[in-house]
């Protein structure tokens, strides 16, 4: 290992004693091993810390996704998201489709991949995020809570369209999207197309501004087809011992 490389790695780890004695130890076999041990340990601790605050929960790996099941699916785009190029350019991945088609599974896989590559991530449902923001009863705490959703490199908001929300909810969503706009990507999964968001946020004047910021830099993918969950439920019923006795 060259002295410059040793010093560079030691500085990142704050091993100042090693830097001070660089000339004495640079040719020792244990130096490379020591640096690698510490780098690996810190990387793992960072990953575990970020994973604990990401709230991704359990999910099936994308390798188990049945690409032949949806009748409409842009596989290339989804696999492109797994390469995380959208993060550098602050492109918003947007996944639209009916319930049970695999949107959340895909979003969780992308979020986990971002974690593995050192990014901060937060996964939430639309109802969780908006209800938590709406319940905050002081301006100071609200600003702190909005920053909580602005801070992660990747924010995933799942399930927009499953419920309807108030004008206040829409305004709070606008605050989050506005502050992330052109800075950090926001991954949206939704059951209703943007043309139907007036039904999701009735009478909310901020809806147009939310959509405008989301789609300006985005990749929109539509999934369509019958529910995976219903498919699996039918398989489980048909294969159960009680069903066979009927």
């Amino acid at each position: 290992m060259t002295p410059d490389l040793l010093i560079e790695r030691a500085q990142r780890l704050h091993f100042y004693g090693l830097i001070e004695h660089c000339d004495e130890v640079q040719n020792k076999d244990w130096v490379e091993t020591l640096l690698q041990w510490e780098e690996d340990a810190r990387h793992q601790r960072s990953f575990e810390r970020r994973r604990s605050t990401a709230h991704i929960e359990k999910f099936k790996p994308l390798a188990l996704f049945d690409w032949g099941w949806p009748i409409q699916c842009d596989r290339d785009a989804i696999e492109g998201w797994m390469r995380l190029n959208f993060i550098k350019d602050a492109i918003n991945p947007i996944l639209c489709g009916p319930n049970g088609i695999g949107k959340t599974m895909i979003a969780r896989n992308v979020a986990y991949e971002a974690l593995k590559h050192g990014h901060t991530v937060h996964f939430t449902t639309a109802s969780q995020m908006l209800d938590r923001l709406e319940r905050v009863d002081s301006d100071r705490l609200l600003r702190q809570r909005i920053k909580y959703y602005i801070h992660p490199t990747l924010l995933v908001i799942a399930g927009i369209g499953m419920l309807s929300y108030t004008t206040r909810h829409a305004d709070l969503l606008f605050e989050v999207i506005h502050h992330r706009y052109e800075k950090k990507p926001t991954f949206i999964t939704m059951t209703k197309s943007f043309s139907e968001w007036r039904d999701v946020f009735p009478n909310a004047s901020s809806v147009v501004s939310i959509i405008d910021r989301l789609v300006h830099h985005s990749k929109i993918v539509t999934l369509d087809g019958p529910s995976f969950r219903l498919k699996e439920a039918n398989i489980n019923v048909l294969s159960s011992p009680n069903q066979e006795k009927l």
Side-chain angles (χ1 to χ4, degrees), residues 38-58:
E38 186 63 22
E39 288 167 349
D40 291 346
R42 293 192 185 192
H43 177 79
Q44 185 62 30
R45 289 198 300 272
S46 171
F47 173 76
E48 295 296 341
R49 183 174 61 253
R50 287 179 289 106
R51 184 173 66 173
S52 69
T53 59
H55 302 289
I56 296 175
E57 300 179 355
K58 294 182 179 180

PDB file of all heavy atoms in Angstrom, residues 38-58:
ATOM      1  N   GLU A  38     -11.812  -2.427   9.991  1.00  0.00           N
ATOM      2  CA  GLU A  38     -12.521  -1.262  10.514  1.00  0.00           C
ATOM      3  C   GLU A  38     -13.494  -0.696   9.474  1.00  0.00           C
ATOM      4  O   GLU A  38     -14.620  -0.309   9.819  1.00  0.00           O
ATOM      5  CB  GLU A  38     -11.523  -0.190  10.947  1.00  0.00           C
ATOM      6  CG  GLU A  38     -12.146   1.009  11.651  1.00  0.00           C
ATOM      7  CD  GLU A  38     -12.827   0.648  12.962  1.00  0.00           C
ATOM      8  OE1 GLU A  38     -12.475  -0.405  13.548  1.00  0.00           O
ATOM      9  OE2 GLU A  38     -13.723   1.410  13.396  1.00  0.00           O
ATOM     10  N   GLU A  39     -13.077  -0.650   8.206  1.00  0.00           N
ATOM     11  CA  GLU A  39     -13.977  -0.155   7.155  1.00  0.00           C
ATOM     12  C   GLU A  39     -15.215  -1.034   7.033  1.00  0.00           C
ATOM     13  O   GLU A  39     -16.338  -0.531   6.915  1.00  0.00           O
ATOM     14  CB  GLU A  39     -13.223  -0.089   5.822  1.00  0.00           C
ATOM     15  CG  GLU A  39     -12.208   1.040   5.753  1.00  0.00           C
ATOM     16  CD  GLU A  39     -11.264   0.906   4.566  1.00  0.00           C
ATOM     17  OE1 GLU A  39     -11.264  -0.167   3.908  1.00  0.00           O
ATOM     18  OE2 GLU A  39     -10.529   1.868   4.279  1.00  0.00           O
ATOM     19  N   ASP A  40     -15.022  -2.344   7.072  1.00  0.00           N
ATOM     20  CA  ASP A  40     -16.154  -3.273   6.966  1.00  0.00           C
ATOM     21  C   ASP A  40     -17.085  -3.139   8.162  1.00  0.00           C
ATOM     22  O   ASP A  40     -18.315  -3.153   8.015  1.00  0.00           O
ATOM     23  CB  ASP A  40     -15.652  -4.716   6.865  1.00  0.00           C
ATOM     24  CG  ASP A  40     -14.950  -5.008   5.546  1.00  0.00           C
ATOM     25  OD1 ASP A  40     -15.071  -4.195   4.612  1.00  0.00           O
ATOM     26  OD2 ASP A  40     -14.263  -6.051   5.457  1.00  0.00           O
ATOM     27  N   ALA A  41     -16.508  -3.028   9.353  1.00  0.00           N
ATOM     28  CA  ALA A  41     -17.335  -2.919  10.562  1.00  0.00           C
ATOM     29  C   ALA A  41     -18.150  -1.633  10.562  1.00  0.00           C
ATOM     30  O   ALA A  41     -19.328  -1.623  10.927  1.00  0.00           O
ATOM     31  CB  ALA A  41     -16.454  -2.987  11.807  1.00  0.00           C
ATOM     32  N   ARG A  42     -17.529  -0.537  10.141  1.00  0.00           N
ATOM     33  CA  ARG A  42     -18.254   0.738  10.123  1.00  0.00           C
ATOM     34  C   ARG A  42     -19.339   0.734   9.051  1.00  0.00           C
ATOM     35  O   ARG A  42     -20.427   1.287   9.250  1.00  0.00           O
ATOM     36  CB  ARG A  42     -17.281   1.887   9.899  1.00  0.00           C
ATOM     37  CG  ARG A  42     -16.325   2.078  11.069  1.00  0.00           C
ATOM     38  CD  ARG A  42     -15.558   3.383  10.970  1.00  0.00           C
ATOM     39  NE  ARG A  42     -14.576   3.487  12.043  1.00  0.00           N
ATOM     40  CZ  ARG A  42     -13.934   4.614  12.328  1.00  0.00           C
ATOM     41  NH1 ARG A  42     -14.169   5.711  11.639  1.00  0.00           N
ATOM     42  NH2 ARG A  42     -13.054   4.629  13.317  1.00  0.00           N
ATOM     43  N   HIS A  43     -19.051   0.115   7.914  1.00  0.00           N
ATOM     44  CA  HIS A  43     -20.061   0.016   6.857  1.00  0.00           C
ATOM     45  C   HIS A  43     -21.266  -0.779   7.348  1.00  0.00           C
ATOM     46  O   HIS A  43     -22.423  -0.390   7.112  1.00  0.00           O
ATOM     47  CB  HIS A  43     -19.459  -0.639   5.618  1.00  0.00           C
ATOM     48  CG  HIS A  43     -20.449  -0.838   4.511  1.00  0.00           C
ATOM     49  ND1 HIS A  43     -20.841   0.182   3.664  1.00  0.00           N
ATOM     50  CD2 HIS A  43     -21.149  -1.941   4.122  1.00  0.00           C
ATOM     51  CE1 HIS A  43     -21.725  -0.283   2.798  1.00  0.00           C
ATOM     52  NE2 HIS A  43     -21.940  -1.566   3.060  1.00  0.00           N
ATOM     53  N   GLN A  44     -21.016  -1.881   8.054  1.00  0.00           N
ATOM     54  CA  GLN A  44     -22.117  -2.700   8.552  1.00  0.00           C
ATOM     55  C   GLN A  44     -22.917  -1.965   9.612  1.00  0.00           C
ATOM     56  O   GLN A  44     -24.157  -2.024   9.623  1.00  0.00           O
ATOM     57  CB  GLN A  44     -21.574  -4.020   9.121  1.00  0.00           C
ATOM     58  CG  GLN A  44     -22.660  -5.000   9.550  1.00  0.00           C
ATOM     59  CD  GLN A  44     -23.544  -5.436   8.404  1.00  0.00           C
ATOM     60  OE1 GLN A  44     -23.098  -5.497   7.248  1.00  0.00           O
ATOM     61  NE2 GLN A  44     -24.802  -5.731   8.709  1.00  0.00           N
ATOM     62  N   ARG A  45     -22.235  -1.257  10.518  1.00  0.00           N
ATOM     63  CA  ARG A  45     -22.957  -0.493  11.541  1.00  0.00           C
ATOM     64  C   ARG A  45     -23.796   0.609  10.913  1.00  0.00           C
ATOM     65  O   ARG A  45     -24.930   0.863  11.339  1.00  0.00           O
ATOM     66  CB  ARG A  45     -21.967   0.108  12.552  1.00  0.00           C
ATOM     67  CG  ARG A  45     -21.321  -0.911  13.479  1.00  0.00           C
ATOM     68  CD  ARG A  45     -20.720  -0.228  14.708  1.00  0.00           C
ATOM     69  NE  ARG A  45     -19.705   0.746  14.355  1.00  0.00           N
ATOM     70  CZ  ARG A  45     -18.416   0.474  14.189  1.00  0.00           C
ATOM     71  NH1 ARG A  45     -17.981  -0.776  14.310  1.00  0.00           N
ATOM     72  NH2 ARG A  45     -17.550   1.424  13.907  1.00  0.00           N
ATOM     73  N   SER A  46     -23.243   1.256   9.894  1.00  0.00           N
ATOM     74  CA  SER A  46     -24.001   2.297   9.191  1.00  0.00           C
ATOM     75  C   SER A  46     -25.235   1.708   8.525  1.00  0.00           C
ATOM     76  O   SER A  46     -26.338   2.270   8.598  1.00  0.00           O
ATOM     77  CB  SER A  46     -23.104   2.968   8.145  1.00  0.00           C
ATOM     78  OG  SER A  46     -23.856   3.829   7.314  1.00  0.00           O
ATOM     79  N   PHE A  47     -25.067   0.557   7.879  1.00  0.00           N
ATOM     80  CA  PHE A  47     -26.191  -0.094   7.215  1.00  0.00           C
ATOM     81  C   PHE A  47     -27.287  -0.469   8.211  1.00  0.00           C
ATOM     82  O   PHE A  47     -28.470  -0.211   7.987  1.00  0.00           O
ATOM     83  CB  PHE A  47     -25.715  -1.334   6.466  1.00  0.00           C
ATOM     84  CG  PHE A  47     -26.827  -2.155   5.881  1.00  0.00           C
ATOM     85  CD1 PHE A  47     -27.484  -1.736   4.743  1.00  0.00           C
ATOM     86  CD2 PHE A  47     -27.231  -3.340   6.484  1.00  0.00           C
ATOM     87  CE1 PHE A  47     -28.519  -2.476   4.196  1.00  0.00           C
ATOM     88  CE2 PHE A  47     -28.258  -4.091   5.955  1.00  0.00           C
ATOM     89  CZ  PHE A  47     -28.911  -3.659   4.797  1.00  0.00           C
ATOM     90  N   GLU A  48     -26.890  -1.064   9.332  1.00  0.00           N
ATOM     91  CA  GLU A  48     -27.876  -1.481  10.332  1.00  0.00           C
ATOM     92  C   GLU A  48     -28.601  -0.277  10.916  1.00  0.00           C
ATOM     93  O   GLU A  48     -29.825  -0.323  11.153  1.00  0.00           O
ATOM     94  CB  GLU A  48     -27.200  -2.278  11.451  1.00  0.00           C
ATOM     95  CG  GLU A  48     -26.605  -3.610  11.014  1.00  0.00           C
ATOM     96  CD  GLU A  48     -27.661  -4.595  10.523  1.00  0.00           C
ATOM     97  OE1 GLU A  48     -28.859  -4.403  10.856  1.00  0.00           O
ATOM     98  OE2 GLU A  48     -27.296  -5.547   9.805  1.00  0.00           O
ATOM     99  N   ARG A  49     -27.883   0.804  11.142  1.00  0.00           N
ATOM    100  CA  ARG A  49     -28.503   2.017  11.682  1.00  0.00           C
ATOM    101  C   ARG A  49     -29.503   2.601  10.681  1.00  0.00           C
ATOM    102  O   ARG A  49     -30.633   2.966  11.044  1.00  0.00           O
ATOM    103  CB  ARG A  49     -27.417   3.047  12.008  1.00  0.00           C
ATOM    104  CG  ARG A  49     -27.946   4.323  12.649  1.00  0.00           C
ATOM    105  CD  ARG A  49     -26.814   5.232  13.074  1.00  0.00           C
ATOM    106  NE  ARG A  49     -25.990   5.656  11.940  1.00  0.00           N
ATOM    107  CZ  ARG A  49     -24.765   5.215  11.693  1.00  0.00           C
ATOM    108  NH1 ARG A  49     -24.206   4.307  12.475  1.00  0.00           N
ATOM    109  NH2 ARG A  49     -24.078   5.668  10.662  1.00  0.00           N
ATOM    110  N   ARG A  50     -29.109   2.682   9.412  1.00  0.00           N
ATOM    111  CA  ARG A  50     -30.009   3.229   8.397  1.00  0.00           C
ATOM    112  C   ARG A  50     -31.198   2.307   8.143  1.00  0.00           C
ATOM    113  O   ARG A  50     -32.323   2.774   7.919  1.00  0.00           O
ATOM    114  CB  ARG A  50     -29.235   3.489   7.096  1.00  0.00           C
ATOM    115  CG  ARG A  50     -28.299   4.694   7.197  1.00  0.00           C
ATOM    116  CD  ARG A  50     -27.515   4.951   5.932  1.00  0.00           C
ATOM    117  NE  ARG A  50     -26.494   3.936   5.700  1.00  0.00           N
ATOM    118  CZ  ARG A  50     -26.583   2.975   4.785  1.00  0.00           C
ATOM    119  NH1 ARG A  50     -27.660   2.890   4.007  1.00  0.00           N
ATOM    120  NH2 ARG A  50     -25.616   2.093   4.641  1.00  0.00           N
ATOM    121  N   ARG A  51     -30.976   1.003   8.218  1.00  0.00           N
ATOM    122  CA  ARG A  51     -32.074   0.061   8.007  1.00  0.00           C
ATOM    123  C   ARG A  51     -33.110   0.162   9.129  1.00  0.00           C
ATOM    124  O   ARG A  51     -34.316   0.074   8.886  1.00  0.00           O
ATOM    125  CB  ARG A  51     -31.551  -1.367   7.921  1.00  0.00           C
ATOM    126  CG  ARG A  51     -32.646  -2.385   7.609  1.00  0.00           C
ATOM    127  CD  ARG A  51     -32.106  -3.769   7.360  1.00  0.00           C
ATOM    128  NE  ARG A  51     -31.493  -4.352   8.544  1.00  0.00           N
ATOM    129  CZ  ARG A  51     -31.065  -5.610   8.603  1.00  0.00           C
ATOM    130  NH1 ARG A  51     -31.164  -6.397   7.545  1.00  0.00           N
ATOM    131  NH2 ARG A  51     -30.525  -6.073   9.712  1.00  0.00           N
ATOM    132  N   SER A  52     -32.645   0.365  10.354  1.00  0.00           N
ATOM    133  CA  SER A  52     -33.568   0.434  11.484  1.00  0.00           C
ATOM    134  C   SER A  52     -34.476   1.650  11.413  1.00  0.00           C
ATOM    135  O   SER A  52     -35.573   1.639  11.973  1.00  0.00           O
ATOM    136  CB  SER A  52     -32.785   0.442  12.802  1.00  0.00           C
ATOM    137  OG  SER A  52     -32.071   1.658  12.961  1.00  0.00           O
ATOM    138  N   THR A  53     -34.028   2.721  10.752  1.00  0.00           N
ATOM    139  CA  THR A  53     -34.846   3.931  10.646  1.00  0.00           C
ATOM    140  C   THR A  53     -35.570   4.043   9.308  1.00  0.00           C
ATOM    141  O   THR A  53     -36.333   4.990   9.100  1.00  0.00           O
ATOM    142  CB  THR A  53     -33.971   5.187  10.847  1.00  0.00           C
ATOM    143  OG1 THR A  53     -32.933   5.222   9.847  1.00  0.00           O
ATOM    144  CG2 THR A  53     -33.326   5.186  12.230  1.00  0.00           C
ATOM    145  N   ALA A  54     -35.351   3.091   8.404  1.00  0.00           N
ATOM    146  CA  ALA A  54     -35.968   3.163   7.074  1.00  0.00           C
ATOM    147  C   ALA A  54     -37.402   2.658   7.068  1.00  0.00           C
ATOM    148  O   ALA A  54     -38.195   3.048   6.210  1.00  0.00           O
ATOM    149  CB  ALA A  54     -35.136   2.365   6.070  1.00  0.00           C
ATOM    150  N   HIS A  55     -37.737   1.744   7.992  1.00  0.00           N
ATOM    151  CA  HIS A  55     -39.101   1.202   8.111  1.00  0.00           C
ATOM    152  C   HIS A  55     -39.571   0.505   6.827  1.00  0.00           C
ATOM    153  O   HIS A  55     -40.740   0.625   6.446  1.00  0.00           O
ATOM    154  CB  HIS A  55     -40.100   2.302   8.501  1.00  0.00           C
ATOM    155  CG  HIS A  55     -39.741   2.991   9.791  1.00  0.00           C
ATOM    156  ND1 HIS A  55     -39.842   2.379  11.022  1.00  0.00           N
ATOM    157  CD2 HIS A  55     -39.250   4.237  10.023  1.00  0.00           C
ATOM    158  CE1 HIS A  55     -39.448   3.227  11.966  1.00  0.00           C
ATOM    159  NE2 HIS A  55     -39.075   4.354  11.399  1.00  0.00           N
ATOM    160  N   ILE A  56     -38.659  -0.221   6.197  1.00  0.00           N
ATOM    161  CA  ILE A  56     -39.026  -0.926   4.963  1.00  0.00           C
ATOM    162  C   ILE A  56     -39.859  -2.169   5.261  1.00  0.00           C
ATOM    163  O   ILE A  56     -40.719  -2.556   4.475  1.00  0.00           O
ATOM    164  CB  ILE A  56     -37.754  -1.305   4.170  1.00  0.00           C
ATOM    165  CG1 ILE A  56     -37.020  -0.034   3.724  1.00  0.00           C
ATOM    166  CG2 ILE A  56     -38.104  -2.170   2.962  1.00  0.00           C
ATOM    167  CD1 ILE A  56     -35.698  -0.312   3.034  1.00  0.00           C
ATOM    168  N   GLU A  57     -39.650  -2.801   6.391  1.00  0.00           N
ATOM    169  CA  GLU A  57     -40.345  -4.014   6.807  1.00  0.00           C
ATOM    170  C   GLU A  57     -39.995  -5.184   5.881  1.00  0.00           C
ATOM    171  O   GLU A  57     -39.188  -5.060   4.967  1.00  0.00           O
ATOM    172  CB  GLU A  57     -41.863  -3.787   6.876  1.00  0.00           C
ATOM    173  CG  GLU A  57     -42.261  -2.681   7.867  1.00  0.00           C
ATOM    174  CD  GLU A  57     -43.747  -2.450   7.899  1.00  0.00           C
ATOM    175  OE1 GLU A  57     -44.481  -3.067   7.101  1.00  0.00           O
ATOM    176  OE2 GLU A  57     -44.186  -1.623   8.740  1.00  0.00           O
ATOM    177  N   LYS A  58     -40.633  -6.327   6.133  1.00  0.00           N
ATOM    178  CA  LYS A  58     -40.323  -7.527   5.363  1.00  0.00           C
ATOM    179  C   LYS A  58     -40.882  -7.433   3.943  1.00  0.00           C
ATOM    180  O   LYS A  58     -41.922  -6.825   3.725  1.00  0.00           O
ATOM    181  CB  LYS A  58     -40.887  -8.765   6.060  1.00  0.00           C
ATOM    182  CG  LYS A  58     -40.220  -9.077   7.405  1.00  0.00           C
ATOM    183  CD  LYS A  58     -40.808 -10.337   8.012  1.00  0.00           C
ATOM    184  CE  LYS A  58     -40.139 -10.660   9.338  1.00  0.00           C
ATOM    185  NZ  LYS A  58     -40.698 -11.896   9.959  1.00  0.00           N
TER     186      LYS A  58
END
